[in-house]
Amino acid sequence: MTSLTLTNPALNTAVPIDVAIIGSGPSGLAAATVLKAAGVGRVVVLEREQQAGGIPLSCGHPAFGLREFRQLLSGPNYSARLVTQAQKAGVEIHTQTTVAEILRGGVLTVATSDGIFRITPRRVIYATGVRETPRSARLISGARVQGVLSTGALQSMIYLQQRRPFVRPLVVGSELVAFSALMTCRHAGIRPVAMIEAEQSATARWPCALYPRMKGIKLHTSTQLVEIKGNKSVEEVVVAGPDGQTRSIECDGVILTGKFTPESALARCGHLHVDPATGGPVVDQWGRCSDPVYFATGNLLRPVETAGRSWAEGQQTGQWVAQDLSGKLPKPAKSLNIVIQGKHLKYAMPQVICPNGDTEGMVDIQMRVTERVSGTLVAHSKMGPIWKRSLNSRPERRIKVPISEIVSQATDGTVNFEVEVPSK
Amino acid sequence: MPTAQPKSQQSAQKALSTELFDVLVIGAGVVGCAVARRFTLEGAKVAVVEKASDILEGASKANSAILHTGFDAPTGSLELSCIRAGYREYERIRDDLGLVQEKSGAQVVAWTPEEMDKLEEIVAQAHENGVTDVHIVDANTLRAAEPNLSERALGAVNVPQESIIDPWSAPYVYLRQALDNGAQVFLSCAVTGGAFDGQNWQVETSNGALRACAVVNCAGLFGDLVDEAVLGEAKFKITPRKGQFVVFDKAAQGLVNSIILPVPQEKTKGIVLFRTVFGNLAVGPTAEDQQSRTDASTDHDTLKGLIADGVDKVPALVDMPVTAVYAGLRPASERKAYRVETVPDRNWITVGGIRSTGLSASLGIARHVYGLYESHGSKHQQLTDPEKPQAAVLAQTGERDWKRAGYGEIVCHCEMVTSREIEAALNGPLGARSMGGLKRQTRATMGRCQGFYCSARLAELTAGKLEPPLSEEFGHD
Ligand SMILES: Cc1cc2nc3c(=O)[nH]c(=O)nc-3n(C[C@H](O)[C@H](O)[C@H](O)COP(=O)(O)OP(=O)(O)OC[C@H]3O[C@@H](n4cnc5c(N)ncnc54)[C@H](O)[C@@H]3O)c2cc1C
Ligand SMILES: Cc1cc2nc3c(=O)[nH]c(=O)nc-3n(C[C@H](O)[C@H](O)[C@H](O)COP(=O)(O)OP(=O)(O)OC[C@H]3O[C@@H](n4cnc5c(N)ncnc54)[C@H](O)[C@@H]3O)c2cc1C
């Protein structure tokens, strides 16, 4: 990295920073606020966008705030409340401040329009959230044309810029966020031609009250997107239905919803270990990364939770980091590795458990399945099976395994989790 | 998509310019850009006509971005001499024009005993081609140089000078240098026909006519059609050959140091693993003959096959996320050789069939073509102190704009593209008129999120400037 200017007037680097938080979404802001409340000195939030608040900023519909403020707020109002709360607590928030690189020992390379500089806070909380998987990574066939967007891009375009990219798109996917996509379309006078889902039924538990709003937009299950066609912009898509038959649908855009993946670029290109299963950094039950100066929180940990839960996780992370600063977290030592096996489990988080800590961390190991499955979730250590429970689950449903039940059976080595399905 | 119309449709067209140019260059692919630059520097008054709204919309849109040494080009061919001359000139002008060149070197890896047997032959040809530092390395040496390569690698031919470059900044700056030294560029003008009056050409385009003494047809994928439309016949036929690619996440770049080439098969150079100067690792291209001159679509199964090929060679790629996929079309003719055809009595030169080495050879091709032009009796006064515009710095090793204060805001976070860069690309002399042009000039949306975070901001910044537009305003109902 060249041309590092040493100081930045906006972010006074002369005064030591206790905790820097990368990302001002619900989790980052919650962590920062809690740290100040716990008496930690200088807490700074670094946010690369022009506004602080994270993903909810671009979610114009009301679905936020029940857990935090006991009322339903629109995304932007919710973000504004979190920002105010943090500022009142004494958190410094720096926007248009990009963390360009993370280095060993908590050294951060930070870019602003005033120059590039390095800071070395005592702890770093990494809270950069999730995004959706783009067309390229889904390896969708067809012409590389304009008009293929994720929900996130669509929401920002419509709610932040009052601009729309198309008027008759196809919606792909049926996670909860696809529902946001429909509401966003409605707001901008966009009429989706159809909605398709590769699985046999919708992924999300659709809120019944909102069903009527879908009127006129048909959900085709067991239907795959086969090809996107067009010259410069989307003109048509080819889909394959339950019987494998393909057919064309005329449309002028495609909204690719869901398939969330953590925005873990800094870890991937830096030194932190990344779990290919979650796509986020490898953490222990305090969210501590492979370099113990770094803690991860919120949706960066794994795809995907609601804003409310990410916020609650951020609060906990704030507590743990405050405790770590006063020496109350055990040093990373002999630990238990949590590993998933077989095709049914998508991920398990945390990936590492420190069995000897007095300080309580996450209560549960969080898991998800890759597909609809019923069977037995079994944990094996090198001694054989140590824990089991019947499991009946579907993609994107929360699965929790109490950490206490596992550490009572094994304290080091590896615990393998697998779903055993009785053969028919 | 406008295509060349038969010349019978000619009518008295309004003139695009009253000027009589020395040379009209048809097509602003990498070859046309280099030819325009060479003729301008030699002192000719040059006009470039390009049918697309941005340059590099044809074959030059997508390639492997390798600057070849020519070690494996057909010995004694025009292609070889152009690649060699092109490579030399690239190195000579690189620093003057702010171009990037990473001498990663290449390893032609043998994966089977039969391929091992072919290595000697490859070295012999390279030496005959004048690339004398090419040599065989054994499995251990290869492993030391490429520790992440599969255990199956038996040995390789090392080509130290093969390099990776920025495939867009280079042709952009070639054309910029022509422009800055007096050439004119006419975009969104498709050549549809023309007539030679014994002295000068009147070339018709979709937007008006231009007059020039000589014409160089560099229409790439449409080269034969332009010849047919204007001359009435073409000496070759283009059958596009598609090449698909997969680009892995930047986290993969450290897995490979050099360009990993296969031992060549009959038809193609085969699937290559290469780093890009932007910091990615890519695998490709395929070689698929097709009729369409514009369809650069990708397909799921082929992309999966490319990933499998990559993982096979570098097992650590197994869980690597994919950043981008793309395809390019090679302007292949019925012969492997370059098709440079002259019609001296009509002051016409066609530079066709520049199939798979045009990025490397373009500067050499331009010199060769200028030589042909002179040999037919034209002569100009070479410029003594030409303007030297600077290429956009997009390579990750370069002094990127975000590292310089006052950049405004970072718009595309994955590729760290600033608002200052976007403004410059939209408003510059070869200003972007399509999203494709903006991507090539700035890299916006070309990173891992592919526009998730920045599409909205880009839609705002580019409003009214791109065709097709990224978005439109809407009224509330
Ligand atoms: C398209 C989409 C729609 C969603 N809709 C809903 C919904 O309707 N309801 C709901 O409950 N949840 C929704 N979610 C889930 C969402 O992830 C959570 O609501 C919540 O925003 C997670 O909070 P977070 O703090 O983990 O991350 P985020 O809110 O994603 O915040 C991360 C922040 O980090 C910043 N950042 C990233 N990298 C850097 C860097 N290098 N330097 C500086 N800053 C950086 C980002 O700009 C961003 O502001 C949605 C998610 C997506 C992707
Ligand atoms: C998959 C792939 C990988 C490759 N890898 C490499 C590599 O690593 N190294 C290397 O050196 N080379 C490589 N190449 C080859 C290189 O990309 C080509 O040789 C080169 O781009 C050909 O350029 P061109 O200017 O001849 O054609 P084009 O780029 O097709 O340019 C022709 C231009 O003419 C315009 N045009 C067409 N018709 C008209 C008309 N009627 N009127 C006006 N304008 C018109 C078109 O719009 C276009 O802009 C690769 C190619 C492919 C496809």
Side-chain angles (χ1 to χ4, degrees):
Chain A
M1 194 89 13
T2 46
S3 76
L4 289 178
T5 51
L6 290 174
T7 53
N8 173 43
L11 197 161
N12 183 352
T13 51
V15 179
I17 297 169
D18 292 293
V19 183
I21 292 130
I22 313 174
S24 71
S27 70
L29 290 173
T33 308
V34 164
L35 280 163
K36 283 306 295 182
V40 173
R42 187 163 182 223
V43 177
V44 302
V45 174
L46 310 173
E47 170 57 53
R48 66 189 182 183
E49 296 293 346
Q50 291 173 295
Q51 260 188 299
I55 289 286
L57 276 178
S58 56
C59 301
H61 44 274
F64 295 89
L66 266 190
R67 183 189 291 257
E68 304 84 332
F69 304 112
R70 314 225 168 282
Q71 76 187 90
L72 269 183
L73 299 169
S74 76
N77 288 341
Y78 167 75
S79 290
R81 291 274 284 267
L82 293 179
V83 168
T84 311
Q85 218 175 38
Q87 282 172 328
K88 273 199 186 137
V91 174
E92 279 175 50
I93 302 178
H94 299 274
T95 55
Q96 294 195 46
T97 302
T98 301
V99 177
E101 184 180 48
I102 60 177
L103 301 165
R104 261 169 231 292
V107 179
L108 306 180
T109 305
V110 180
T112 72
S113 192
D114 298 322
I116 303 180
F117 52 95
R118 289 233 164 107
I119 56 173
T120 310
R122 292 166 67 203
R123 296 291 180 276
V124 177
I125 298 180
Y126 184 16
T128 51
V130 283
R131 59 175 167 79
E132 291 161 292
T133 301
R135 173 195 176 162
S136 54
R138 298 179 188 226
L139 307 182
I140 297 168
S141 299
R144 288 167 50 246
V145 286
Q146 232 161 272
V148 182
L149 270 77
S150 57
T151 318
L154 179 76
Q155 292 195 134
S156 311
M157 223 179 255
I158 287 173
Y159 289 120
L160 303 181
Q161 316 283 4
Q162 280 74 51
R163 306 188 65 88
R164 66 181 174 198
F166 37 55
V167 291
R168 288 181 60 70
L170 173 82
V171 180
V172 180
S174 64
E175 291 177 45
L176 212 43
V177 69
F179 207 80
S180 300
L182 291 185
M183 300 223 289
T184 308
C185 285
R186 216 181 116 80
H187 176 78
I190 297 171
R191 296 277 308 161
V193 290
M195 188 165 181
I196 62 169
E197 165 57 52
E199 298 298 320
Q200 322 152 16
S201 60
T203 310
R205 279 188 265 251
W206 293 77
C208 303
L210 299 170
Y211 257 120
R213 294 223 186 146
M214 273 185 72
K215 224 169 43 196
I217 300 162
K218 193 159 178 240
L219 172 64
H220 303 270
T221 52
S222 304
T223 300
Q224 306 244 14
L225 175 56
V226 176
E227 189 180 351
I228 297 174
K229 292 182 165 180
N231 178 12
K232 289 192 167 154
S233 304
V234 178
E235 291 166 18
E236 172 183 349
V237 292
V238 179
V239 301
D243 49 4
Q245 293 278 355
T246 58
R247 67 192 172 93
S248 296
I249 304 176
E250 255 182 62
C251 57
D252 66 353
V254 176
I255 309 175
L256 297 173
T257 71
K259 289 206 184 197
F260 291 98
T261 181
E263 172 66 354
S264 53
L266 292 170
R268 281 182 193 284
C269 293
H271 64 298
L272 298 183
H273 297 169
V274 173
D275 176 6
T278 57
V282 169
V283 293
D284 66 13
Q285 72 263 47
W286 298 286
R288 191 161 56 177
C289 301
S290 55
D291 176 346
V293 175
Y294 292 87
F295 287 70
T297 193
N299 271 340
L300 173 70
L301 291 168
R302 79 347 354 224
V304 57
E305 280 292 353
T306 60
R309 281 180 187 261
S310 302
W311 174 83
E313 283 176 332
Q315 288 202 313
Q316 289 189 314
T317 308
Q319 297 288 0
W320 298 328
V321 171
Q323 285 166 344
D324 193 34
L325 284 171
S326 48
K328 290 195 191 120
L329 286 199
K331 291 237 150 48
K334 203 178 64 154
S335 54
L336 196 60
N337 293 315
I338 305 298
V339 172
I340 53 165
Q341 281 188 333
K343 63 171 187 173
H344 298 295
L345 287 178
K346 186 175 168 198
Y347 63 71
M349 191 287 297
Q351 297 82 352
V352 174
I353 294 172
C354 232
N356 56 347
D358 301 331
T359 315
E360 198 168 330
M362 296 176 201
V363 176
D364 300 305
I365 304 172
Q366 304 181 28
M367 297 185 190
R368 294 277 200 285
V369 290
T370 52
E371 57 185 12
R372 207 183 258 259
V373 61
S374 27
T376 313
L377 178 60
V378 187
H380 291 264
S381 75
K382 60 176 186 284
M383 318 294 291
I386 55 167
W387 181 94
K388 68 166 88 170
R389 182 176 92 196
S390 76
L391 180 80
N392 194 339
S393 191
R394 297 165 58 173
E396 299 315 319
R397 299 286 194 273
R398 247 167 238 131
I399 301 166
K400 296 197 226 166
V401 175
I403 290 177
S404 58
E405 294 179 18
I406 301 303
V407 290
S408 64
Q409 302 299 321
T411 52
D412 64 352
T414 297
V415 172
N416 290 301
F417 281 87
E418 188 165 14
V419 184
E420 291 175 1
V421 181
S423 47
K424 280 174 206 148
Chain B
M1 182 68 38
T3 48
Q5 298 287 313
K7 69 173 175 188
S8 56
Q9 290 198 352
Q10 279 173 38
S11 56
Q13 259 196 326
K14 76 167 178 13
L16 265 170
S17 162
T18 51
E19 199 150 354
L20 173 64
F21 294 95
D22 293 322
V23 179
L24 180 78
V25 177
I26 304 175
V30 64
V31 174
C33 293
V35 167
R37 169 179 174 275
R38 172 55 40 210
F39 276 76
T40 305
L41 295 182
E42 296 293 345
K45 185 92 194 89
V46 174
V48 179
V49 276
E50 166 56 54
K51 77 174 173 193
S53 64
D54 283 274
I55 71 168
L56 311 179
E57 273 291 315
S60 308
K61 176 156 66 176
N63 55 50
S64 315
I66 299 170
L67 186 70
H68 297 297
T69 52
F71 79 98
D72 58 351
T75 306
S77 64
L78 172 64
E79 180 177 8
L80 173 62
S81 66
C82 289
I83 293 174
R84 301 282 292 144
Y87 189 104
R88 279 194 301 272
E89 183 163 352
Y90 189 91
E91 289 209 305
R92 210 161 44 238
I93 65 175
R94 186 187 62 202
D95 296 342
D96 274 353
L97 300 181
L99 290 168
V100 57
Q101 177 186 12
E102 252 189 76
K103 277 194 191 167
S104 60
Q107 307 276 9
V108 185
V109 177
W111 300 97
T112 63
E114 296 74 57
E115 290 179 346
M116 276 303 277
D117 291 343
K118 291 193 182 157
L119 299 188
E120 300 267 3
E121 229 174 279
I122 295 172
V123 172
Q125 187 187 6
H127 290 184
E128 216 178 320
N129 286 359
V131 192
T132 50
D133 56 357
V134 170
H135 58 280
I136 291 183
V137 291
D138 63 18
N140 287 338
T141 314
L142 177 61
R143 194 136 305 131
E146 295 293 349
N148 294 302
L149 220 51
S150 156
E151 299 275 316
R152 294 188 304 102
L154 300 177
V157 169
N158 180 227
V159 189
Q161 310 282 323
E162 289 279 294
S163 303
I164 54 177
I165 64 173
D166 177 340
W168 302 298
S169 294
Y172 261 102
V173 86
Y174 301 161
L175 189 56
R176 263 298 297 279
Q177 194 173 25
L179 269 181
D180 289 4
N181 289 290
Q184 290 186 43
V185 179
F186 300 89
L187 296 170
S188 302
C189 294
V191 169
T192 53
F196 186 66
D197 64 8
Q199 212 135 47
N200 297 319
W201 274 99
Q202 159 102 355
V203 172
E204 315 286 332
T205 82
S206 52
N207 241 334
L210 285 169
R211 290 190 316 128
C213 305
V215 177
V216 185
N217 170 8
C218 305
L221 290 161
F222 292 80
D224 53 342
L225 297 188
V226 168
D227 270 8
E228 271 168 24
V230 185
L231 302 177
E233 62 160 350
K235 295 209 174 108
F236 58 92
K237 181 174 169 2
I238 296 292
T239 304
R241 186 168 300 156
K242 179 157 80 180
Q244 302 190 42
F245 295 89
V246 170
V247 182
F248 293 101
D249 191 275
K250 289 194 173 168
Q253 64 173 312
L255 295 176
V256 171
N257 299 312
S258 49
I259 301 160
I260 307 297
L261 300 168
V263 171
Q265 307 294 316
E266 270 308 288
K267 197 164 159 189
T268 72
K269 285 184 188 281
I271 307 293
V272 185
L273 257 177
F274 55 99
R275 279 189 299 119
T276 70
V277 294
F278 314 112
N280 293 94
L281 182 66
V283 60
T286 55
E288 308 162 53
D289 285 341
Q290 64 179 38
Q291 287 311 310
S292 171
R293 296 166 194 255
T294 53
D295 176 8
S297 57
T298 51
D299 85 276
H300 181 85
D301 293 343
T302 307
L303 299 172
K304 283 204 112 158
L306 284 172
I307 294 170
D309 191 282
V311 172
D312 196 37
K313 288 171 176 157
V314 176
L317 281 171
V318 68
D319 288 315
M320 194 55 69
V322 167
T323 287
V325 302
Y326 67 95
L329 303 178
R330 304 174 186 86
S333 74
E334 54 279 76
R335 275 189 250 142
K336 194 169 190 289
Y338 285 1
R339 311 302 286 272
V340 179
E341 314 278 355
T342 56
V343 190
D345 56 343
R346 288 201 273 174
N347 298 352
W348 182 279
I349 304 176
T350 301
V351 186
I354 312 298
R355 190 171 46 112
S356 53
T357 49
L359 180 65
S360 311
S362 60
L363 296 170
I365 293 170
R367 278 185 183 274
H368 174 71
V369 171
Y370 187 76
L372 290 173
Y373 169 82
E374 262 194 344
S375 72
H376 299 143
S378 306
K379 189 93 194 122
H380 302 282
Q381 184 70 41
Q382 204 174 42
L383 304 191
T384 47
D385 187 18
E387 297 291 328
K388 289 177 182 155
Q390 294 298 297
V393 181
L394 300 177
Q396 71 167 0
T397 48
E399 187 71 4
R400 291 284 312 272
D401 193 57
W402 66 270
K403 297 180 181 174
R404 294 168 37 232
Y407 60 66
E409 88 200 67
I410 292 172
V411 177
C412 165
H413 297 292
C414 300
E415 295 298 308
M416 301 291 267
V417 182
T418 68
S419 52
R420 183 165 62 188
E421 285 175 299
I422 287 171
E423 294 297 329
L426 289 172
N427 303 320
L430 288 168
R433 294 290 167 266
S434 65
M435 189 58 207
L438 188 65
K439 284 182 176 184
R440 292 191 286 276
Q441 289 200 49
T442 66
R443 295 198 55 72
T445 76
M446 290 179 91
R448 51 170 70 79
C449 91
Q450 297 275 304
F452 174 90
Y453 293 108
C454 71
S455 290
R457 184 76 179 113
L458 276 175
E460 187 185 30
L461 291 172
T462 61
K465 301 204 161 143
L466 302 184
E467 192 47 48
L470 297 181
S471 65
E472 60 179 21
E473 283 179 283
F474 62 87
H476 289 273
D477 28 71

